[in-house]
Amino acid sequence: MPGNPLRRSVFGYGLALAVLAAAALFGVAFGIGTGAVSISMPDIWRYLFQGYDGPMREIVWNIRLPRTLVGALVGANLALSGALLQAVMRNPLADPHMIGVSSGAGLFGIIVLILFPHMWSMLTPVAFLGACGAALLIYLLAFRDGVRPVRLILAGVAISSFLGSGISALLIFFSDRVDGALAFLVGGLSAKSWPELGAMLPYSIFGILVALCGSSHLNVLALGDVNARGLGLSVESVRFIMTAVAALLAASAVSVAGLIGFVGLIVPHMVRLLVGGDFRILLPASALMGAAVMTFGDTIARILFAPVELPVGIIMGVLGAPFFLYLLRREAGR
């Protein structure tokens, strides 16, 4: 019936997802077309889908397209990881960077880059181990008769600071090998191409699929531990699996793009304003908006001070820090 609220909500959710998907696609097109040499949308279409062999084909296919796709996947992974951590930890301030998951992946990634550069292909699984270890340690430190948001934030900041000290120590002791490591710490997409996309794609697909399959369990978990157990949910199993998935998504992004902060914090909150708190819609919407935010952010970082290229991590930090302070004040006022 026309007045059916369920039908209206389904239509609204579908429309919101369609708009976010269009924004992500436009972000990819904007990234491909914008730079030192501008390429029009009709030419982009010809190069990509009609086999057009013009002078800009090499720029489109081997420079801008893979870099933009890597950026979209990094943004989707970080946003989805943040949404999962906020759900599992019931903390609106949780995100991979703030909680320390990214720092764990970053430390293990720096160890590979500095001490074992010949093992580059192992960067993502090693970063995943670091992210999981950091998440587990933070959760154990914050757990005492349940998890409280304040304890979780304090534990995350402490662990993040500790792991950051480890990274700094490595940079000092191996100062002759820090060139690639410094770019990794700032976070950026410079020179990312098809090999990086191929390296993170399997982990991303697996993590995204598992997260989407577990969305209904997160809705039950949002009712509280007691109610969730009463409905037959294995609370600790869901927490463990979803935390591991969040760590995998964050690690795959960090291993390729470095330590990019605040995407996992900003995007899920922006999406909640559009679609509400149903994780069946929130998770795919967060992934789409994360892709859009990262592709636009990287393009702005490339052109803002051209010919000097800013790492996109700086842009995300400038946008994310004020938003984090806003959330902190809002939570303090409740």
Side-chain angles (χ1 to χ4, degrees):
M1 294 187 302
N4 189 333
L6 178 60
R7 180 171 296 181
R8 286 202 306 270
S9 66
V10 170
F11 174 77
Y13 290 151
L15 180 61
L17 289 176
V19 169
L20 291 174
L25 288 174
F26 183 75
V28 171
F30 181 61
I32 296 173
T34 306
V37 177
S38 296
I39 305 173
S40 67
M41 292 295 175
D43 282 343
I44 293 174
W45 180 265
R46 295 189 190 101
Y47 287 126
L48 293 180
F49 302 109
Q50 295 182 351
Y52 188 63
D53 196 21
M56 299 292 105
R57 180 180 173 84
E58 185 71 17
I59 293 177
V60 170
W61 273 103
N62 293 321
I63 298 177
R64 292 188 186 172
L65 176 61
R67 172 176 176 153
T68 307
L69 292 178
V70 169
L73 203 53
V74 166
N77 286 4
L78 290 176
L80 196 53
S81 178
L84 290 174
L85 289 174
Q86 289 166 18
V88 167
M89 299 181 177
R90 294 207 300 272
N91 186 347
L93 301 179
D95 88 313
H97 190 74
M98 186 61 58
I99 293 298
V101 172
S102 292
S103 297
L107 176 60
F108 278 55
I110 289 290
I111 290 173
V112 172
L113 288 173
I114 290 182
L115 301 181
F116 308 101
H118 58 285
M119 296 176 62
W120 180 87
S121 61
M122 295 297 294
L123 186 58
T124 298
V126 170
F128 171 60
L129 293 177
C132 282
L136 181 61
L137 185 57
I138 291 164
Y139 191 80
L140 291 175
L141 289 174
F143 189 88
R144 184 180 179 184
D145 299 326
V147 175
R148 302 286 179 85
V150 173
R151 286 205 300 263
L152 199 58
I153 285 292
L154 293 176
V157 170
I159 294 300
S160 182
S161 178
F162 176 77
L163 295 174
S165 298
I167 293 173
S168 299
L170 284 172
L171 295 180
I172 290 174
F173 284 120
F174 299 94
S175 57
D176 57 326
R177 309 181 192 179
V178 301
D179 289 343
L182 287 177
F184 182 85
L185 291 176
V186 176
L189 299 172
S190 179
K192 305 305 178 188
S193 191
W194 296 114
E196 289 78 12
L197 182 65
M200 71 182 300
L201 192 59
Y203 303 98
S204 302
I205 292 174
F206 176 78
I208 291 171
L209 288 177
V210 175
L212 295 180
C213 289
S215 59
S216 59
H217 297 306
L218 294 177
N219 283 337
V220 178
L221 190 64
L223 300 175
D225 289 2
V226 175
N227 292 329
R229 288 192 180 96
L231 293 171
L233 184 70
S234 178
V235 171
E236 296 309 322
S237 295
V238 171
R239 275 213 176 95
F240 178 80
I241 292 171
M242 290 296 112
T243 300
V245 171
L248 176 63
L249 290 169
S252 65
V254 168
S255 65
V256 169
L259 298 177
I260 298 176
F262 293 113
V263 177
L265 177 68
I266 296 173
V267 172
H269 285 283
M270 294 171 63
V271 171
R272 282 190 186 92
L273 297 176
L274 294 176
V275 301
D278 187 341
F279 286 98
R280 294 172 297 178
I281 307 300
L282 178 65
L283 295 185
S286 294
L288 290 171
M289 182 170 279
V293 167
M294 184 60 68
T295 50
F296 280 111
D298 182 54
T299 305
I300 291 170
R302 283 195 289 115
I303 65 176
L304 190 60
F305 295 105
V308 177
E309 180 180 314
L310 284 178
V312 67
I314 294 177
I315 300 295
M316 293 298 105
V318 169
L319 296 175
F323 193 82
F324 175 75
L325 292 175
Y326 161 74
L327 289 178
L328 199 61
R329 287 181 61 86
R330 190 182 70 175
E331 289 301 309
R334 287 184 176 178

